[in-house]
Amino acid sequence: MNVHIFAAAGIAATLSSCATTESLSRMNSYKFPVHQVKMADDTYRVYEHKSDNSLMVAPSLGTSMAIGAAQGATLGLADTMTPEKKLEAAAQQHLANTGRADCKITKGYLLQKPLYEFGFECPSVAPKV
């Protein structure tokens, strides 16, 4: 077996799982504490952004570690990610849990496995005259 091919595959898997500088910067812009959102399949971790209408959502620590272990064991070939729709549902539930049920998720994207970011909009309240 060619060791160089094996090493290149390992390096490629490692690089593909690393966050970009932009993603790391964005992840660091979220504040603590983490909010636990219990759903039927898992308890998700939700973080609120410090200054804009966005949420960072991740599966429970146990699920996240299982995803990481499966990715590492298969050199990144196993797709063990929690589906984005489950993470989005947890984000929407967090909004409802915090008195913002009228707010809606507008977009979502992967920051770094298994962290997703979701933007949301809330209806504006018309000023009383």
Side-chain angles (χ1 to χ4, degrees), residues 51-119:
S51 61
D52 63 30
N53 286 348
S54 63
L55 303 169
M56 184 171 63
V57 183
S60 66
L61 285 174
T63 300
S64 296
M65 290 190 322
I67 289 169
Q71 289 283 313
T74 62
L75 299 176
L77 298 176
D79 186 9
T80 57
M81 280 293 297
T82 300
E84 182 179 351
K85 288 296 178 189
K86 289 182 179 183
L87 295 162
E88 183 177 338
Q92 188 66 53
Q93 184 62 51
H94 172 71
L95 291 172
N97 292 350
T98 55
R100 297 174 282 179
D102 291 341
C103 299
K104 299 295 177 215
I105 303 296
T106 57
K107 62 184 177 215
Y109 61 93
L110 181 66
L111 280 172
Q112 176 191 3
K113 289 181 181 179
L115 298 170
Y116 267 80
E117 181 174 57
F118 296 97

